[in-house]
Amino acid sequence: MTTRHIGVIGMAVMGQNLALNMQSKGFPTVVYNRTAERTKEFMQQRGEAAGLAAAYTIEEFMRLLERPRRILFMVKAGEAVDDFIRQIRPHMEKGDLLIDGGNSHFKDTERRNLDLEKDGFLYIGTGISGGEEGALKGPSIMPGGQKEAYDLVADVLCKIAAQTEDGPCCAYMGPRGAGHYVKMVHNGIEYGIMQLIAEAYDMLSTGLGLKTQEIGEIVAEWNDAELGSYLMEITRDCLVRKDDLGRGMLVDKILDTAGQKGTGKWASQDALDVGYPIPTIDAAVHARILSAYKTERVAAAKRLRGPGLKYRGSRAKFIQNVRDGLYCSVITSYAQGMGLLTAASKEYNYNLNLAEIARIWKGGCIIRSKLLDPIKKAYAAEAELKNLMLAPFFRQALHRRQANWRECVSTATKLGIPCLAFCTSLAYYDSYRRARLPANLIQAQRDYFGAHTYQRIDREGVFHTEWLKRD
């Protein structure tokens, strides 16, 4: 059989769709799965008609690949990736390339990259965003590793990626774990925006008593304007979908416990490690964790009282306040994610290009939105931009909408509607814009109980005070 340009290992839906995408773009592809039955089933249903080749042993798979071999594997993050590498490593030759397309932790990718490099193997940790549809029709692709490794497969990745007026949604991110780090932050921003949209939905539902389909129609209007994004599109679709099993809307029948695969939590954890604040993203992670305590919440609802108020104001004004509050809060989620990328780039020597990252997020990925073009322009104009909120476009947007943002949060709080991410986003904005914060008191407390010392604003030096001593 004729050798193939690239191989894909792992025939879950993402792996299948990526293989089909590659084959359709003119790259002869061979597929393999640890369970042969899954490979056979896929080939019978879709693979053979598309022109894919199949292998049923690792040895056969490796024989069918051109040298140097290009191997994309879609394996569950964690120990399963290390197991896969141990299995395939004895069959590899110097110059062969492994491409991890799963959601691996960036530190695991760093370790694997350096370990494989010792034996002359190439390794790319590649973030892929877009879900099953994106994998087939064009995702956003974030590869990181050796530059020569990326060059070996850049033609494939750029062709299968989503395409926008700015080019393919794929670019080299940086060395070692840079690609998976960027994908991790992408997912953190995604967590933030999803929680904000959910809170906006709750405000309209609980605060105004709107029916689910009405909210879906409002979201559709917002999506056609400045809030247009993939996440708003799917929110609209979720809210207007009727339940197939009976009357009413499907969303109203879904249990209110949100799952997570860990990437948002990883972003929060590493932000603590590098010392960069991402409170909106943190709030979204905590909100998902809190949602899992369903039994406790049901019991608490019978014992803990709220304000018991109903909204008495203008419906149109409240809807506008929520719309503006959501827009401002979404900006903070992007600002925190981009800021974390800036901090991590210095910490890990990734040399990330934030304008380029925003560009490749414009198509294919889950957080694609109308905001990404001005984000790209902001970092293209000022590569060392300290915070996205300082760019003229975003600064003006926040100034115009902040009164409604504040009224939205204030109303929700008075009505007892939980808005963890909205409140945190506004507090983040207010904290960042303040020249002086109450951390002076914290330093005094630290010096009091632990002699941690402090600095003064009126003279140079480091000081310690015996706080109980009286003059």
Side-chain angles (χ1 to χ4, degrees), residues 306-329:
L309 300 175
K310 292 184 183 270
Y311 180 70
R312 302 295 184 188
S314 163
R315 164 180 155 146
K317 183 65 170 72
F318 187 76
I319 292 172
Q320 185 62 48
N321 289 346
V322 175
R323 175 177 180 162
D324 287 343
L326 178 59
Y327 187 74
C328 292
S329 298

mmCIF file with all atom_site columns, all heavy atoms in Angstrom, residues 306-329:
data_model
loop_
_atom_site.group_PDB
_atom_site.id
_atom_site.type_symbol
_atom_site.label_atom_id
_atom_site.label_alt_id
_atom_site.label_comp_id
_atom_site.label_asym_id
_atom_site.label_entity_id
_atom_site.label_seq_id
_atom_site.pdbx_PDB_ins_code
_atom_site.Cartn_x
_atom_site.Cartn_y
_atom_site.Cartn_z
_atom_site.occupancy
_atom_site.B_iso_or_equiv
_atom_site.pdbx_formal_charge
_atom_site.auth_seq_id
_atom_site.auth_comp_id
_atom_site.auth_asym_id
_atom_site.auth_atom_id
_atom_site.pdbx_PDB_model_num
ATOM 1   N N   . GLY A 1 306 ? -33.559 34.835 51.673 1.00 0.00 ? 306 GLY A N   1
ATOM 2   C CA  . GLY A 1 306 ? -33.042 35.948 50.883 1.00 0.00 ? 306 GLY A CA  1
ATOM 3   C C   . GLY A 1 306 ? -33.900 37.173 51.101 1.00 0.00 ? 306 GLY A C   1
ATOM 4   O O   . GLY A 1 306 ? -34.751 37.204 52.005 1.00 0.00 ? 306 GLY A O   1
ATOM 5   N N   . PRO A 1 307 ? -33.730 38.210 50.253 1.00 0.00 ? 307 PRO A N   1
ATOM 6   C CA  . PRO A 1 307 ? -34.468 39.463 50.470 1.00 0.00 ? 307 PRO A CA  1
ATOM 7   C C   . PRO A 1 307 ? -35.962 39.364 50.193 1.00 0.00 ? 307 PRO A C   1
ATOM 8   O O   . PRO A 1 307 ? -36.740 40.174 50.702 1.00 0.00 ? 307 PRO A O   1
ATOM 9   C CB  . PRO A 1 307 ? -33.793 40.437 49.498 1.00 0.00 ? 307 PRO A CB  1
ATOM 10  C CG  . PRO A 1 307 ? -33.190 39.571 48.447 1.00 0.00 ? 307 PRO A CG  1
ATOM 11  C CD  . PRO A 1 307 ? -32.763 38.314 49.151 1.00 0.00 ? 307 PRO A CD  1
ATOM 12  N N   . GLY A 1 308 ? -36.379 38.428 49.344 1.00 0.00 ? 308 GLY A N   1
ATOM 13  C CA  . GLY A 1 308 ? -37.806 38.270 49.064 1.00 0.00 ? 308 GLY A CA  1
ATOM 14  C C   . GLY A 1 308 ? -38.414 39.429 48.304 1.00 0.00 ? 308 GLY A C   1
ATOM 15  O O   . GLY A 1 308 ? -39.611 39.711 48.429 1.00 0.00 ? 308 GLY A O   1
ATOM 16  N N   . LEU A 1 309 ? -37.614 40.133 47.503 1.00 0.00 ? 309 LEU A N   1
ATOM 17  C CA  . LEU A 1 309 ? -38.097 41.287 46.747 1.00 0.00 ? 309 LEU A CA  1
ATOM 18  C C   . LEU A 1 309 ? -38.388 40.907 45.304 1.00 0.00 ? 309 LEU A C   1
ATOM 19  O O   . LEU A 1 309 ? -37.865 39.930 44.780 1.00 0.00 ? 309 LEU A O   1
ATOM 20  C CB  . LEU A 1 309 ? -37.042 42.399 46.777 1.00 0.00 ? 309 LEU A CB  1
ATOM 21  C CG  . LEU A 1 309 ? -36.645 42.939 48.152 1.00 0.00 ? 309 LEU A CG  1
ATOM 22  C CD1 . LEU A 1 309 ? -35.511 43.938 48.011 1.00 0.00 ? 309 LEU A CD1 1
ATOM 23  C CD2 . LEU A 1 309 ? -37.840 43.593 48.835 1.00 0.00 ? 309 LEU A CD2 1
ATOM 24  N N   . LYS A 1 310 ? -39.209 41.704 44.648 1.00 0.00 ? 310 LYS A N   1
ATOM 25  C CA  . LYS A 1 310 ? -39.467 41.569 43.220 1.00 0.00 ? 310 LYS A CA  1
ATOM 26  C C   . LYS A 1 310 ? -39.054 42.853 42.532 1.00 0.00 ? 310 LYS A C   1
ATOM 27  O O   . LYS A 1 310 ? -39.157 43.946 43.107 1.00 0.00 ? 310 LYS A O   1
ATOM 28  C CB  . LYS A 1 310 ? -40.947 41.276 42.945 1.00 0.00 ? 310 LYS A CB  1
ATOM 29  C CG  . LYS A 1 310 ? -41.406 39.907 43.421 1.00 0.00 ? 310 LYS A CG  1
ATOM 30  C CD  . LYS A 1 310 ? -42.855 39.677 43.029 1.00 0.00 ? 310 LYS A CD  1
ATOM 31  C CE  . LYS A 1 310 ? -43.337 38.339 43.573 1.00 0.00 ? 310 LYS A CE  1
ATOM 32  N NZ  . LYS A 1 310 ? -43.124 37.249 42.691 1.00 0.00 ? 310 LYS A NZ  1
ATOM 33  N N   . TYR A 1 311 ? -38.595 42.736 41.303 1.00 0.00 ? 311 TYR A N   1
ATOM 34  C CA  . TYR A 1 311 ? -38.164 43.921 40.552 1.00 0.00 ? 311 TYR A CA  1
ATOM 35  C C   . TYR A 1 311 ? -39.384 44.742 40.157 1.00 0.00 ? 311 TYR A C   1
ATOM 36  O O   . TYR A 1 311 ? -40.349 44.210 39.588 1.00 0.00 ? 311 TYR A O   1
ATOM 37  C CB  . TYR A 1 311 ? -37.374 43.492 39.315 1.00 0.00 ? 311 TYR A CB  1
ATOM 38  C CG  . TYR A 1 311 ? -36.891 44.657 38.489 1.00 0.00 ? 311 TYR A CG  1
ATOM 39  C CD1 . TYR A 1 311 ? -35.884 45.498 38.968 1.00 0.00 ? 311 TYR A CD1 1
ATOM 40  C CD2 . TYR A 1 311 ? -37.451 44.932 37.245 1.00 0.00 ? 311 TYR A CD2 1
ATOM 41  C CE1 . TYR A 1 311 ? -35.440 46.576 38.223 1.00 0.00 ? 311 TYR A CE1 1
ATOM 42  C CE2 . TYR A 1 311 ? -37.011 45.999 36.487 1.00 0.00 ? 311 TYR A CE2 1
ATOM 43  C CZ  . TYR A 1 311 ? -36.010 46.828 36.979 1.00 0.00 ? 311 TYR A CZ  1
ATOM 44  O OH  . TYR A 1 311 ? -35.580 47.898 36.233 1.00 0.00 ? 311 TYR A OH  1
ATOM 45  N N   . ARG A 1 312 ? -39.337 46.036 40.422 1.00 0.00 ? 312 ARG A N   1
ATOM 46  C CA  . ARG A 1 312 ? -40.482 46.912 40.161 1.00 0.00 ? 312 ARG A CA  1
ATOM 47  C C   . ARG A 1 312 ? -40.190 47.958 39.086 1.00 0.00 ? 312 ARG A C   1
ATOM 48  O O   . ARG A 1 312 ? -41.059 48.777 38.786 1.00 0.00 ? 312 ARG A O   1
ATOM 49  C CB  . ARG A 1 312 ? -40.885 47.640 41.454 1.00 0.00 ? 312 ARG A CB  1
ATOM 50  C CG  . ARG A 1 312 ? -41.251 46.709 42.610 1.00 0.00 ? 312 ARG A CG  1
ATOM 51  C CD  . ARG A 1 312 ? -42.486 45.904 42.312 1.00 0.00 ? 312 ARG A CD  1
ATOM 52  N NE  . ARG A 1 312 ? -42.892 45.084 43.476 1.00 0.00 ? 312 ARG A NE  1
ATOM 53  C CZ  . ARG A 1 312 ? -43.845 44.180 43.423 1.00 0.00 ? 312 ARG A CZ  1
ATOM 54  N NH1 . ARG A 1 312 ? -44.495 43.962 42.286 1.00 0.00 ? 312 ARG A NH1 1
ATOM 55  N NH2 . ARG A 1 312 ? -44.154 43.467 44.508 1.00 0.00 ? 312 ARG A NH2 1
ATOM 56  N N   . GLY A 1 313 ? -39.002 47.968 38.522 1.00 0.00 ? 313 GLY A N   1
ATOM 57  C CA  . GLY A 1 313 ? -38.636 49.013 37.583 1.00 0.00 ? 313 GLY A CA  1
ATOM 58  C C   . GLY A 1 313 ? -39.012 48.699 36.146 1.00 0.00 ? 313 GLY A C   1
ATOM 59  O O   . GLY A 1 313 ? -39.812 47.799 35.859 1.00 0.00 ? 313 GLY A O   1
ATOM 60  N N   . SER A 1 314 ? -38.375 49.424 35.240 1.00 0.00 ? 314 SER A N   1
ATOM 61  C CA  . SER A 1 314 ? -38.629 49.279 33.809 1.00 0.00 ? 314 SER A CA  1
ATOM 62  C C   . SER A 1 314 ? -38.007 47.986 33.291 1.00 0.00 ? 314 SER A C   1
ATOM 63  O O   . SER A 1 314 ? -36.810 47.747 33.470 1.00 0.00 ? 314 SER A O   1
ATOM 64  C CB  . SER A 1 314 ? -38.042 50.475 33.049 1.00 0.00 ? 314 SER A CB  1
ATOM 65  O OG  . SER A 1 314 ? -37.914 50.186 31.675 1.00 0.00 ? 314 SER A OG  1
ATOM 66  N N   . ARG A 1 315 ? -38.799 47.181 32.629 1.00 0.00 ? 315 ARG A N   1
ATOM 67  C CA  . ARG A 1 315 ? -38.298 45.934 32.037 1.00 0.00 ? 315 ARG A CA  1
ATOM 68  C C   . ARG A 1 315 ? -37.228 46.233 30.996 1.00 0.00 ? 315 ARG A C   1
ATOM 69  O O   . ARG A 1 315 ? -36.171 45.605 30.991 1.00 0.00 ? 315 ARG A O   1
ATOM 70  C CB  . ARG A 1 315 ? -39.468 45.167 31.423 1.00 0.00 ? 315 ARG A CB  1
ATOM 71  C CG  . ARG A 1 315 ? -39.048 44.060 30.465 1.00 0.00 ? 315 ARG A CG  1
ATOM 72  C CD  . ARG A 1 315 ? -40.250 43.344 29.891 1.00 0.00 ? 315 ARG A CD  1
ATOM 73  N NE  . ARG A 1 315 ? -39.917 42.731 28.609 1.00 0.00 ? 315 ARG A NE  1
ATOM 74  C CZ  . ARG A 1 315 ? -40.418 41.603 28.158 1.00 0.00 ? 315 ARG A CZ  1
ATOM 75  N NH1 . ARG A 1 315 ? -41.285 40.934 28.883 1.00 0.00 ? 315 ARG A NH1 1
ATOM 76  N NH2 . ARG A 1 315 ? -40.077 41.136 26.985 1.00 0.00 ? 315 ARG A NH2 1
ATOM 77  N N   . ALA A 1 316 ? -37.500 47.188 30.101 1.00 0.00 ? 316 ALA A N   1
ATOM 78  C CA  . ALA A 1 316 ? -36.551 47.512 29.027 1.00 0.00 ? 316 ALA A CA  1
ATOM 79  C C   . ALA A 1 316 ? -35.221 48.000 29.598 1.00 0.00 ? 316 ALA A C   1
ATOM 80  O O   . ALA A 1 316 ? -34.151 47.653 29.087 1.00 0.00 ? 316 ALA A O   1
ATOM 81  C CB  . ALA A 1 316 ? -37.156 48.557 28.099 1.00 0.00 ? 316 ALA A CB  1
ATOM 82  N N   . LYS A 1 317 ? -35.290 48.799 30.666 1.00 0.00 ? 317 LYS A N   1
ATOM 83  C CA  . LYS A 1 317 ? -34.061 49.338 31.263 1.00 0.00 ? 317 LYS A CA  1
ATOM 84  C C   . LYS A 1 317 ? -33.252 48.212 31.907 1.00 0.00 ? 317 LYS A C   1
ATOM 85  O O   . LYS A 1 317 ? -32.021 48.176 31.796 1.00 0.00 ? 317 LYS A O   1
ATOM 86  C CB  . LYS A 1 317 ? -34.401 50.386 32.329 1.00 0.00 ? 317 LYS A CB  1
ATOM 87  C CG  . LYS A 1 317 ? -33.180 51.050 32.956 1.00 0.00 ? 317 LYS A CG  1
ATOM 88  C CD  . LYS A 1 317 ? -32.415 51.875 31.911 1.00 0.00 ? 317 LYS A CD  1
ATOM 89  C CE  . LYS A 1 317 ? -31.336 52.758 32.547 1.00 0.00 ? 317 LYS A CE  1
ATOM 90  N NZ  . LYS A 1 317 ? -30.181 51.996 33.025 1.00 0.00 ? 317 LYS A NZ  1
ATOM 91  N N   . PHE A 1 318 ? -33.927 47.288 32.581 1.00 0.00 ? 318 PHE A N   1
ATOM 92  C CA  . PHE A 1 318 ? -33.204 46.183 33.214 1.00 0.00 ? 318 PHE A CA  1
ATOM 93  C C   . PHE A 1 318 ? -32.529 45.312 32.160 1.00 0.00 ? 318 PHE A C   1
ATOM 94  O O   . PHE A 1 318 ? -31.372 44.893 32.330 1.00 0.00 ? 318 PHE A O   1
ATOM 95  C CB  . PHE A 1 318 ? -34.160 45.345 34.061 1.00 0.00 ? 318 PHE A CB  1
ATOM 96  C CG  . PHE A 1 318 ? -33.471 44.288 34.878 1.00 0.00 ? 318 PHE A CG  1
ATOM 97  C CD1 . PHE A 1 318 ? -32.773 44.619 36.034 1.00 0.00 ? 318 PHE A CD1 1
ATOM 98  C CD2 . PHE A 1 318 ? -33.496 42.958 34.492 1.00 0.00 ? 318 PHE A CD2 1
ATOM 99  C CE1 . PHE A 1 318 ? -32.135 43.648 36.791 1.00 0.00 ? 318 PHE A CE1 1
ATOM 100 C CE2 . PHE A 1 318 ? -32.865 41.980 35.237 1.00 0.00 ? 318 PHE A CE2 1
ATOM 101 C CZ  . PHE A 1 318 ? -32.176 42.329 36.391 1.00 0.00 ? 318 PHE A CZ  1
ATOM 102 N N   . ILE A 1 319 ? -33.224 45.036 31.071 1.00 0.00 ? 319 ILE A N   1
ATOM 103 C CA  . ILE A 1 319 ? -32.635 44.235 29.998 1.00 0.00 ? 319 ILE A CA  1
ATOM 104 C C   . ILE A 1 319 ? -31.402 44.933 29.433 1.00 0.00 ? 319 ILE A C   1
ATOM 105 O O   . ILE A 1 319 ? -30.368 44.300 29.185 1.00 0.00 ? 319 ILE A O   1
ATOM 106 C CB  . ILE A 1 319 ? -33.671 43.965 28.882 1.00 0.00 ? 319 ILE A CB  1
ATOM 107 C CG1 . ILE A 1 319 ? -34.772 43.033 29.402 1.00 0.00 ? 319 ILE A CG1 1
ATOM 108 C CG2 . ILE A 1 319 ? -33.008 43.356 27.652 1.00 0.00 ? 319 ILE A CG2 1
ATOM 109 C CD1 . ILE A 1 319 ? -35.939 42.859 28.459 1.00 0.00 ? 319 ILE A CD1 1
ATOM 110 N N   . GLN A 1 320 ? -31.480 46.258 29.258 1.00 0.00 ? 320 GLN A N   1
ATOM 111 C CA  . GLN A 1 320 ? -30.329 47.004 28.750 1.00 0.00 ? 320 GLN A CA  1
ATOM 112 C C   . GLN A 1 320 ? -29.181 46.970 29.750 1.00 0.00 ? 320 GLN A C   1
ATOM 113 O O   . GLN A 1 320 ? -28.005 46.844 29.362 1.00 0.00 ? 320 GLN A O   1
ATOM 114 C CB  . GLN A 1 320 ? -30.719 48.452 28.461 1.00 0.00 ? 320 GLN A CB  1
ATOM 115 C CG  . GLN A 1 320 ? -29.609 49.278 27.805 1.00 0.00 ? 320 GLN A CG  1
ATOM 116 C CD  . GLN A 1 320 ? -29.188 48.745 26.450 1.00 0.00 ? 320 GLN A CD  1
ATOM 117 O OE1 . GLN A 1 320 ? -30.034 48.462 25.601 1.00 0.00 ? 320 GLN A OE1 1
ATOM 118 N NE2 . GLN A 1 320 ? -27.890 48.584 26.237 1.00 0.00 ? 320 GLN A NE2 1
ATOM 119 N N   . ASN A 1 321 ? -29.493 47.069 31.031 1.00 0.00 ? 321 ASN A N   1
ATOM 120 C CA  . ASN A 1 321 ? -28.450 47.012 32.051 1.00 0.00 ? 321 ASN A CA  1
ATOM 121 C C   . ASN A 1 321 ? -27.728 45.668 32.026 1.00 0.00 ? 321 ASN A C   1
ATOM 122 O O   . ASN A 1 321 ? -26.496 45.601 32.140 1.00 0.00 ? 321 ASN A O   1
ATOM 123 C CB  . ASN A 1 321 ? -29.051 47.238 33.443 1.00 0.00 ? 321 ASN A CB  1
ATOM 124 C CG  . ASN A 1 321 ? -29.505 48.665 33.658 1.00 0.00 ? 321 ASN A CG  1
ATOM 125 O OD1 . ASN A 1 321 ? -29.163 49.568 32.888 1.00 0.00 ? 321 ASN A OD1 1
ATOM 126 N ND2 . ASN A 1 321 ? -30.302 48.889 34.691 1.00 0.00 ? 321 ASN A ND2 1
ATOM 127 N N   . VAL A 1 322 ? -28.501 44.587 31.905 1.00 0.00 ? 322 VAL A N   1
ATOM 128 C CA  . VAL A 1 322 ? -27.898 43.262 31.854 1.00 0.00 ? 322 VAL A CA  1
ATOM 129 C C   . VAL A 1 322 ? -27.032 43.127 30.601 1.00 0.00 ? 322 VAL A C   1
ATOM 130 O O   . VAL A 1 322 ? -25.922 42.582 30.653 1.00 0.00 ? 322 VAL A O   1
ATOM 131 C CB  . VAL A 1 322 ? -28.984 42.163 31.884 1.00 0.00 ? 322 VAL A CB  1
ATOM 132 C CG1 . VAL A 1 322 ? -28.360 40.785 31.706 1.00 0.00 ? 322 VAL A CG1 1
ATOM 133 C CG2 . VAL A 1 322 ? -29.748 42.218 33.209 1.00 0.00 ? 322 VAL A CG2 1
ATOM 134 N N   . ARG A 1 323 ? -27.528 43.624 29.483 1.00 0.00 ? 323 ARG A N   1
ATOM 135 C CA  . ARG A 1 323 ? -26.768 43.569 28.227 1.00 0.00 ? 323 ARG A CA  1
ATOM 136 C C   . ARG A 1 323 ? -25.428 44.293 28.365 1.00 0.00 ? 323 ARG A C   1
ATOM 137 O O   . ARG A 1 323 ? -24.374 43.750 28.015 1.00 0.00 ? 323 ARG A O   1
ATOM 138 C CB  . ARG A 1 323 ? -27.596 44.191 27.117 1.00 0.00 ? 323 ARG A CB  1
ATOM 139 C CG  . ARG A 1 323 ? -26.890 44.321 25.770 1.00 0.00 ? 323 ARG A CG  1
ATOM 140 C CD  . ARG A 1 323 ? -27.847 44.895 24.744 1.00 0.00 ? 323 ARG A CD  1
ATOM 141 N NE  . ARG A 1 323 ? -27.241 45.045 23.433 1.00 0.00 ? 323 ARG A NE  1
ATOM 142 C CZ  . ARG A 1 323 ? -27.944 45.193 22.312 1.00 0.00 ? 323 ARG A CZ  1
ATOM 143 N NH1 . ARG A 1 323 ? -29.264 45.220 22.356 1.00 0.00 ? 323 ARG A NH1 1
ATOM 144 N NH2 . ARG A 1 323 ? -27.326 45.334 21.151 1.00 0.00 ? 323 ARG A NH2 1
ATOM 145 N N   . ASP A 1 324 ? -25.461 45.510 28.905 1.00 0.00 ? 324 ASP A N   1
ATOM 146 C CA  . ASP A 1 324 ? -24.222 46.282 29.068 1.00 0.00 ? 324 ASP A CA  1
ATOM 147 C C   . ASP A 1 324 ? -23.315 45.663 30.121 1.00 0.00 ? 324 ASP A C   1
ATOM 148 O O   . ASP A 1 324 ? -22.080 45.656 29.967 1.00 0.00 ? 324 ASP A O   1
ATOM 149 C CB  . ASP A 1 324 ? -24.550 47.730 29.446 1.00 0.00 ? 324 ASP A CB  1
ATOM 150 C CG  . ASP A 1 324 ? -25.109 48.529 28.274 1.00 0.00 ? 324 ASP A CG  1
ATOM 151 O OD1 . ASP A 1 324 ? -24.947 48.084 27.117 1.00 0.00 ? 324 ASP A OD1 1
ATOM 152 O OD2 . ASP A 1 324 ? -25.715 49.588 28.513 1.00 0.00 ? 324 ASP A OD2 1
ATOM 153 N N   . GLY A 1 325 ? -23.919 45.145 31.188 1.00 0.00 ? 325 GLY A N   1
ATOM 154 C CA  . GLY A 1 325 ? -23.117 44.488 32.217 1.00 0.00 ? 325 GLY A CA  1
ATOM 155 C C   . GLY A 1 325 ? -22.419 43.257 31.681 1.00 0.00 ? 325 GLY A C   1
ATOM 156 O O   . GLY A 1 325 ? -21.259 42.984 32.008 1.00 0.00 ? 325 GLY A O   1
ATOM 157 N N   . LEU A 1 326 ? -23.130 42.494 30.852 1.00 0.00 ? 326 LEU A N   1
ATOM 158 C CA  . LEU A 1 326 ? -22.529 41.307 30.251 1.00 0.00 ? 326 LEU A CA  1
ATOM 159 C C   . LEU A 1 326 ? -21.386 41.693 29.327 1.00 0.00 ? 326 LEU A C   1
ATOM 160 O O   . LEU A 1 326 ? -20.305 41.075 29.362 1.00 0.00 ? 326 LEU A O   1
ATOM 161 C CB  . LEU A 1 326 ? -23.591 40.522 29.482 1.00 0.00 ? 326 LEU A CB  1
ATOM 162 C CG  . LEU A 1 326 ? -23.120 39.271 28.745 1.00 0.00 ? 326 LEU A CG  1
ATOM 163 C CD1 . LEU A 1 326 ? -22.489 38.265 29.707 1.00 0.00 ? 326 LEU A CD1 1
ATOM 164 C CD2 . LEU A 1 326 ? -24.287 38.629 27.991 1.00 0.00 ? 326 LEU A CD2 1
ATOM 165 N N   . TYR A 1 327 ? -21.582 42.716 28.517 1.00 0.00 ? 327 TYR A N   1
ATOM 166 C CA  . TYR A 1 327 ? -20.536 43.152 27.576 1.00 0.00 ? 327 TYR A CA  1
ATOM 167 C C   . TYR A 1 327 ? -19.269 43.563 28.337 1.00 0.00 ? 327 TYR A C   1
ATOM 168 O O   . TYR A 1 327 ? -18.160 43.128 27.993 1.00 0.00 ? 327 TYR A O   1
ATOM 169 C CB  . TYR A 1 327 ? -21.057 44.319 26.746 1.00 0.00 ? 327 TYR A CB  1
ATOM 170 C CG  . TYR A 1 327 ? -20.139 44.752 25.626 1.00 0.00 ? 327 TYR A CG  1
ATOM 171 C CD1 . TYR A 1 327 ? -20.019 43.988 24.472 1.00 0.00 ? 327 TYR A CD1 1
ATOM 172 C CD2 . TYR A 1 327 ? -19.403 45.932 25.715 1.00 0.00 ? 327 TYR A CD2 1
ATOM 173 C CE1 . TYR A 1 327 ? -19.182 44.390 23.429 1.00 0.00 ? 327 TYR A CE1 1
ATOM 174 C CE2 . TYR A 1 327 ? -18.573 46.336 24.686 1.00 0.00 ? 327 TYR A CE2 1
ATOM 175 C CZ  . TYR A 1 327 ? -18.459 45.560 23.544 1.00 0.00 ? 327 TYR A CZ  1
ATOM 176 O OH  . TYR A 1 327 ? -17.626 45.958 22.522 1.00 0.00 ? 327 TYR A OH  1
ATOM 177 N N   . CYS A 1 328 ? -19.440 44.370 29.375 1.00 0.00 ? 328 CYS A N   1
ATOM 178 C CA  . CYS A 1 328 ? -18.282 44.819 30.155 1.00 0.00 ? 328 CYS A CA  1
ATOM 179 C C   . CYS A 1 328 ? -17.596 43.645 30.849 1.00 0.00 ? 328 CYS A C   1
ATOM 180 O O   . CYS A 1 328 ? -16.359 43.562 30.890 1.00 0.00 ? 328 CYS A O   1
ATOM 181 C CB  . CYS A 1 328 ? -18.712 45.847 31.195 1.00 0.00 ? 328 CYS A CB  1
ATOM 182 S SG  . CYS A 1 328 ? -19.261 47.426 30.511 1.00 0.00 ? 328 CYS A SG  1
ATOM 183 N N   . SER A 1 329 ? -18.381 42.738 31.400 1.00 0.00 ? 329 SER A N   1
ATOM 184 C CA  . SER A 1 329 ? -17.814 41.608 32.128 1.00 0.00 ? 329 SER A CA  1
ATOM 185 C C   . SER A 1 329 ? -17.070 40.664 31.194 1.00 0.00 ? 329 SER A C   1
ATOM 186 O O   . SER A 1 329 ? -16.022 40.117 31.561 1.00 0.00 ? 329 SER A O   1
ATOM 187 C CB  . SER A 1 329 ? -18.919 40.861 32.873 1.00 0.00 ? 329 SER A CB  1
ATOM 188 O OG  . SER A 1 329 ? -19.543 41.689 33.830 1.00 0.00 ? 329 SER A OG  1
#
